[in-house]
Amino acid sequence: RVPRVFHPPAFGVTILGSSHGFDPKGSTSGYVLWLNGRGLMVDPPPNSTYLLQQNSIPPSLIDGVIVTHCHADHDAGTFQKILQEGRVTLMTTETI
């Protein structure tokens, strides 16, 4: 099987998951926001590395992470990105 090549949009959204944190069959809501061909993960699900691979998205295209609220179903995806890349821009509110 030939791997798909991902071409990031100049502007768009990729849905990584659209379910809640207690759904055993669904992926927690999370998104990649695309601006000028670069991605920002918004509330990344715990299995975000796998979901990026399933969408043929190279992790190197993700420049940062936006965390809108503090729940383990999104923190884990943020930590995955940090562990994978070693460093990531994190955008959030002061209280988080």
Side-chain angles (χ1 to χ4, degrees):
R1 179 178 158 191
V2 177
R4 267 188 337 169
V5 175
F6 180 78
H7 299 283
F11 182 77
V13 175
T14 299
I15 299 171
L16 298 177
S18 61
S19 191
H20 56 83
F22 300 101
D23 183 356
K25 295 182 182 179
S27 182
T28 303
S29 61
Y31 312 90
V32 178
L33 177 62
W34 297 101
L35 302 165
N36 298 320
R38 304 300 300 174
L40 294 170
M41 281 200 296
V42 179
D43 292 332
N47 56 343
S48 58
T49 300
Y50 171 77
L51 295 168
L52 290 175
Q53 289 172 346
Q54 290 299 303
N55 285 283
S56 300
I57 300 171
S60 60
L61 289 179
I62 307 298
D63 289 339
V65 175
I66 298 172
V67 178
T68 64
H69 61 287
C70 194
H71 283 161
D73 58 338
H74 302 300
D75 296 351
T78 301
F79 292 133
Q80 263 189 1
K81 179 66 177 163
I82 292 169
L83 290 172
Q84 184 177 21
E85 298 290 320
R87 192 172 190 153
V88 65
T89 299
L90 178 62
M91 293 166 259
T92 189
T93 66
E94 192 173 308
T95 57
I96 294 178

